[in-house]
Amino acid sequence: MSDGPKRIAILLSGRGSNFAAIHEAIVSGELDAEIAVVISNRTDAAGLARAAQWGYRTAAIPLRGQPSREAHEALVIEAIEGSGAGVVALAGYMRLLSPGFVERFRGRILNIHPSLLPSFPGVDAQAQALAWGVKVAGCTVHLVDESLDGGPILVQRTVPVLDDDTPETLSARILDEEHRAYVEALRIVTSGKYWVQGRRVRVEG
Ligand code: GRF
């Protein structure tokens, strides 16, 4: 197996439904890529257990026990590079990345956020959208830069906001679209047939 853009490192902290969607897309042949490693900062992440069950290489790297944030991140970088992954997919990874990390993998780190960015960055995006009263919500997969949820956008998908929505019902509707959006974005990035022009990501063809 060679290093490169078709090998994906997944970073997650929780249930891992986006990871599962990526796994299924690869298994079904919908996405021509492979998962090189699944890394979590939480030893008890359900997504990590699932990854191990499915036979993936996994790494649990908790912050606790590390002398510093930098030392923790160095271990994460080592796990990614040791797997030969060329793309890093953040899938519910609840830690901020340092500028050094972003620089190391620049243009090759993807994140998914449950809002139509640049609206509602940060935590509780779905509740923010409801509180604002928007009629259309959705999700965004973007390249990661040093800003919070602010890098160039790869894919967005929309859902309607219904009058009787709660943060839970809206989150569930958005999550279905997240799974499609992440696979679509990874198809673009793993194909290598895209380029970034300022804030705009252009896809060949
Ligand atoms: C998703 O809503 C994603 O947009 C956000 O964290 C959640 C992760 O869900 N960044 P899962 O662990 O992939 O199910």
Side-chain angles (χ1 to χ4, degrees):
M1 275 182 289
S2 59
D3 289 16
K6 291 207 181 295
R7 285 177 66 74
I8 303 165
I10 307 251
L11 271 58
L12 55 76
S13 302
R15 69 192 157 186
S17 72
N18 278 285
F19 153 59
I22 295 164
H23 159 81
E24 279 156 24
I26 292 173
V27 169
S28 71
E30 198 193 328
L31 176 64
D32 175 22
E34 49 189 312
I35 293 172
V37 65
V38 178
I39 299 169
S40 181
N41 61 315
R42 296 195 53 122
T43 49
D44 61 350
L48 195 64
R50 192 130 63 145
Q53 262 168 25
W54 287 339
Y56 289 116
R57 173 170 173 163
T58 60
I61 309 178
L63 180 62
R64 188 191 288 196
Q66 293 307 315
S68 64
R69 292 170 53 95
E70 291 72 26
H72 175 259
E73 213 174 61
L75 290 179
V76 175
I77 291 172
E78 200 179 300
I80 295 169
E81 292 183 340
S83 75
V87 170
V88 179
L90 307 180
Y93 187 60
M94 303 304 285
R95 289 199 56 78
L96 290 176
L97 305 176
S98 74
F101 186 105
V102 173
E103 189 52 46
R104 189 130 182 168
F105 301 104
R106 187 171 298 282
R108 298 185 288 136
I109 313 172
L110 282 66
N111 183 43
I112 186 151
H113 185 75
S115 79
L116 295 173
L117 291 169
S119 294
F120 316 126
V123 294
D124 294 332
Q126 304 95 329
Q128 289 186 56
L130 267 187
W132 195 261
V134 294
K135 302 296 184 193
V136 177
C139 61
T140 304
V141 184
H142 62 93
L143 293 170
V144 172
D145 63 12
E146 286 78 3
S147 64
L148 175 69
D149 299 326
I153 292 171
L154 284 157
V155 172
Q156 291 188 304
R157 293 184 69 94
T158 61
V159 300
V161 178
L162 308 181
D163 287 347
D164 58 357
D165 263 334
T166 62
E168 290 71 32
T169 58
L170 180 58
S171 297
R173 194 174 308 118
I174 293 173
L175 192 64
D176 279 345
E177 295 306 320
E178 290 187 35
H179 299 160
R180 296 188 182 93
Y182 223 145
V183 170
E184 209 179 306
L186 280 167
R187 215 180 286 123
I188 293 170
V189 170
T190 56
S191 76
K193 293 181 179 158
Y194 70 101
W195 66 101
V196 182
Q197 247 178 359
R199 287 208 46 85
R200 300 184 71 189
V201 178
R202 313 296 293 271
V203 182
E204 211 176 287

